[in-house]
Amino acid sequence: MTVSVRVPGELSARVPAEQRGPGLGRDAVRLLVSRGTEVTHHAFRELPGLLRAGDLLVVNTSPTLAAAVDGRIGPARVVVHFSVRGDDGRWAVELREPDGRGTTRARAGSPAGTEVALPGGGRLRLAEPLSAGAERLWWARVAGADVREMLREHGRPIRYSYTERDQPLSAYQTVFTLPSPDGSGSAEMPSAARPFTARLVTELVSRGVQFAPVTLHTGVSSAEAHDPPYPERFAVPEASARLINAARAGGTGREGLTGKGGRVIAVGTTAVRAVESAAGPDGVVRAAEGWTDLVVTPGRGVRVVDGLLTGLHEPEASHLLMLEAVAGRAAVGRAYEEALRGLYLWHEFGDVHLLLPEESPHTERCGGNCG
């Protein structure tokens, strides 16, 4: 992996920014900005001054679900993390153990056919692993309960041991969250957008920055396993596809503002995955929805995205390959050195990193493999 560093435990953000002191809001986090290997340090509230009129932010509207539910296998207590719902009605789940401190730890694999008693009289039965040879996530069927209703009544947000305490579900929603018509959502928060506030969005719009909403429902990514992303549901609406293509082409009616096309900046790796899944080899984005198994790597490259606003990822995380695809290996390595030196905070309640291009917008960065 590119970034071979150790992140000290004390750099984990244990509570949301707004709980760290009186008068603080969600935007009270730090912002590391990379332009190639040049790195500068900012407050997140300075973001409007770092973007320009004509830039387009692609944002994920997926709501976060209360996806963790207590259960039992015989007398043993377990915690079920519900990930994604398959087309056949099964759910991908991860079984974990309570750790005695209010969170969970990884649990040794259970065989197919294992039954879990759920709140309200429901029962879950493991069917088969999502991937051959990997038994962390399983396809499972639930009988005697509607899963989404059960999550609303008995679920709580997934959290890991680096956080200090349970938070209300509202702490895991972003300003861009929209309810899904069918009740779908993300098992874990699309956290890059968390620092945005309504005031900051208004200021960005007043400066000529536009927003293109997309949806990608994220699955679970346990703290111990850094697997490549599994297939996830996504949707890129026609209106957002038009906005993205217009920004890349120079924008109708915006030339007077910018003199050039705007930069397409994804807010979060989930937004990258969604928009790149809807892009053809020619870089044109078309309305699309369904499942994506796209893994963005430096070899595959990016066809649409010029920049990325994202959290700080563990050195083992596959997300770092996506950052390399957007900004290059040297830029990512340099940024993480600076983040550690500057004591930036990691994880979903932590600080954020903005990767901007050195080159002019839409310079080809597909690693010679755009087709």
Side-chain angles (χ1 to χ4, degrees):
M1 185 57 66
T2 300
V3 182
S4 56
V5 297
R6 186 185 69 85
V7 181
E10 58 267 25
L11 294 186
S12 294
R14 298 182 61 78
V15 296
E18 61 271 23
Q19 296 178 17
R20 295 178 199 149
L24 297 181
R26 286 184 172 218
D27 56 359
V29 297
R30 299 169 69 192
L31 175 64
L32 187 75
V33 178
S34 297
R35 295 178 180 87
T37 55
E38 176 192 347
V39 178
T40 55
H41 303 271
H42 305 267
F44 186 75
R45 294 189 183 100
E46 297 175 52
L47 179 65
L50 297 166
L51 302 179
R52 64 191 186 207
D55 283 343
L56 180 68
L57 297 180
V58 182
V59 297
N60 186 1
T61 64
S62 177
T64 305
L65 301 176
V69 173
D70 292 324
R72 288 187 177 275
I73 300 176
R77 294 175 57 216
V78 296
V79 177
V80 183
H81 287 179
F82 284 86
S83 185
V84 295
R85 184 181 184 273
D87 293 334
D88 60 0
R90 298 188 300 177
W91 281 80
V93 301
E94 180 184 14
L95 301 187
R96 295 177 66 85
E97 293 179 345
D99 64 1
R101 302 189 300 274
T103 55
T104 61
R105 56 177 170 245
R107 184 178 186 276
S110 301
T114 296
E115 284 201 356
V116 181
L118 299 171
R123 298 195 69 82
L124 176 149
R125 180 187 288 267
L126 299 185
E128 60 184 348
L130 259 68
S131 300
E135 296 189 355
R136 184 174 70 88
L137 286 176
W138 284 75
W139 285 116
R141 290 198 178 275
V142 175
D146 177 273
V147 171
R148 289 167 184 156
E149 185 62 34
M150 180 183 64
L151 297 184
R152 283 191 289 271
E153 287 191 25
H154 302 286
R156 60 186 178 276
I158 290 173
R159 78 174 181 98
Y160 298 112
S161 59
Y162 52 77
T163 55
E164 186 173 290
R165 57 182 176 269
D166 284 344
Q167 299 288 340
L169 184 59
S170 60
Y172 292 87
Q173 311 296 0
T174 77
V175 72
F176 304 112
T177 293
L178 292 173
S180 299
D182 63 355
S184 298
S186 290
E188 298 184 12
M189 172 176 54
S191 57
R194 192 183 190 280
F196 284 87
T197 62
R199 184 203 62 79
L200 190 67
V201 171
T202 300
E203 183 178 353
L204 286 164
V205 171
S206 73
R207 289 171 175 250
V209 175
Q210 292 192 310
F211 292 84
V214 300
T215 302
L216 187 135
H217 298 314
T218 66
V220 300
S221 55
S222 75
E224 301 83 15
H226 300 285
D227 306 326
Y230 291 93
E232 294 167 321
R233 287 184 180 275
F234 81 104
V236 176
E238 177 64 37
S240 293
R242 287 199 303 267
L243 281 169
I244 294 166
N245 293 330
R248 289 173 55 75
T252 301
R254 289 206 310 250
E255 292 85 345
L257 292 174
T258 66
K260 60 181 76 174
R263 298 170 296 185
V264 177
I265 300 170
V267 178
T269 58
T270 61
V272 176
R273 196 180 200 198
V275 74
E276 292 289 330
S277 296
D282 56 0
V284 175
V285 177
R286 298 170 176 86
E289 62 179 312
W291 290 88
T292 178
D293 59 1
L294 176 65
V295 179
V296 178
T297 64
R300 188 270 185 189
V302 287
R303 298 168 177 169
V304 178
V305 172
D306 297 304
L308 171 61
L309 178 72
T310 183
L312 294 165
H313 302 284
E314 292 287 356
E316 300 88 353
S318 61
H319 294 303
L320 288 177
L321 293 175
M322 182 184 289
L323 271 61
E324 283 187 18
V326 173
R329 178 172 299 179
V332 176
R334 172 68 177 142
Y336 273 64
E337 289 174 1
E338 280 292 300
L340 286 169
R341 188 187 64 80
L343 303 180
Y344 278 68
L345 296 180
W346 256 251
H347 301 303
E348 64 267 29
F349 298 136
D351 298 316
V352 285
H353 180 200
L354 176 62
L355 300 104
L356 292 174
E358 288 184 290
E359 68 279 10
S360 60
H362 323 316
T363 298
E364 193 65 78
R365 284 175 287 111
C366 292
N369 188 25
C370 287

